[in-house]
Amino acid sequence: KQWYQRRVAITAGSFIPIIVLRRDLTTIFFFMGMFVNEGVNQVLKRIIAEPRPARTASSVQWSQHGMPSAHSQFAGYFSMFIILLFYVRISVVTFIIPLAKIWKHVLAALTVVVSLAVCYSRHYLKYHTQSQICAGFLVGLGIGALWFILLEKFAGPYFPIIASMPICEMLLIKDYSLIPNALWCEYHCIKTEMRSRAKKYIRPE
C-alpha cells in the first residue's frame, strides 16, 4: 500500500507542473485518465492476484501482484492517447517546414518505441512475466482509446463552455480543442506579441 501511494505521489508530482504550465483542459483530461488507468490496474491486480516472477533471495521482494503490469499498462495508455491526439486533433500546417507532413508519423513512431522500451525494461529487470507485460500493454491501449473517445464525443464538446467559466478564466485555464494546430497557434501568437512589444522598446538612434 505504501509503495502504491508513493508511486501515485511521484506520478502526480511529475505531471502537476505540466498542468500548471500548460493550463489546458485536454492536458487535465489526459491526467485524469492516468488515474483511471491506474485504478483499473489495481482492481485487476487484486482480482487476478497473479504473483510476480520468482526473484533471487538478494533481489528486492515485491508484495504487489504482477498481473497486469502497471508500467506496461501506462505505456499502452500513453501511446494510444497521444497517437490519437496527433492524428485526430492536430492538423498539418504545410507552410511551416517542407517535412511538416511527416512530423506526426515521426512523433508517433517515437512514442511507440519509448512505450515498447518501457515494456521491455519490465521483462529485462524481471519485474513481470511476458504475459503480465502484454496484458498490461493491451489493457492500456484499450483504456487510452476509450478515454480519447470519451474526450472527443462527450467531454470535449463542453470544453469551450468550461473554459469560459469565471473560475477557469481566473485560473487562466484554456481550451485548444477548436484550434487545428495549437502548437503553431501558440507559437504564432507569442511571436506576434513579442514583435509588438519589441517595437515599443526599440528606440531610433
Side-chain angles (χ1 to χ4, degrees):
K1 184 177 181 180
Q2 293 179 351
W3 172 81
Y4 171 69
Q5 293 174 345
R6 187 162 56 247
R7 191 175 70 184
V8 171
I10 292 173
T11 302
S14 301
F15 279 86
I16 285 177
I18 298 175
I19 292 177
V20 172
L21 291 173
R22 296 298 306 167
R23 301 195 187 197
D24 72 279
L25 291 171
T26 299
T27 301
I28 295 172
F29 193 79
F30 169 78
F31 184 70
M32 292 168 58
M34 285 176 48
F35 282 99
V36 172
N37 183 64
E38 182 67 25
V40 171
N41 180 264
Q42 293 301 310
V43 170
L44 290 177
K45 280 184 174 179
R46 293 188 179 186
I47 293 175
I48 301 173
E50 180 178 301
R52 292 172 180 266
R55 308 292 298 277
T56 62
S58 60
S59 301
V60 177
Q61 299 297 317
W62 299 90
S63 59
Q64 189 81 358
H65 297 303
M67 173 64 87
S69 165
H71 285 79
S72 300
Q73 187 171 321
F74 171 76
Y77 167 79
F78 178 86
S79 60
M80 177 59 75
F81 190 95
I82 295 300
I83 289 173
L84 288 175
L85 195 68
F86 284 159
Y87 286 100
V88 176
R89 277 284 191 93
I90 303 177
S91 299
V92 175
V93 182
T94 56
F95 54 83
I96 300 178
I97 55 175
L99 299 178
K101 291 185 177 181
I102 68 169
W103 76 270
K104 287 196 291 188
H105 307 302
V106 173
L107 290 177
L110 288 175
T111 301
V112 172
V113 169
V114 171
S115 298
L116 293 178
V118 170
C119 293
Y120 177 76
S121 70
R122 310 313 291 171
H123 173 69
Y124 179 80
L125 296 172
K126 297 181 180 179
Y127 289 156
H128 293 280
T129 63
Q130 293 183 6
S131 60
Q132 292 171 354
I133 294 169
C134 292
F137 190 71
L138 291 175
V139 171
L141 290 176
I143 294 176
L146 290 175
W147 199 249
F148 187 83
I149 292 173
L150 183 63
L151 167 68
E152 288 293 295
K153 300 298 183 181
F154 300 99
Y158 294 98
F159 279 3
I161 300 174
I162 297 173
S164 63
M165 296 173 62
I167 183 66
C168 290
E169 292 181 348
M170 183 180 69
L171 296 175
L172 303 179
I173 295 175
K174 49 192 174 291
D175 170 44
Y176 291 130
S177 60
L178 300 178
I179 301 175
N181 193 325
L183 182 64
W184 166 248
C185 179
E186 188 176 57
Y187 168 79
H188 181 71
C189 290
I190 293 175
K191 190 174 182 179
T192 302
E193 182 69 16
M194 287 298 295
R195 286 177 176 175
S196 176
R197 291 180 178 273
K199 291 178 182 180
K200 297 179 182 179
Y201 293 102
I202 297 177
R203 299 177 180 178
E205 297 180 358

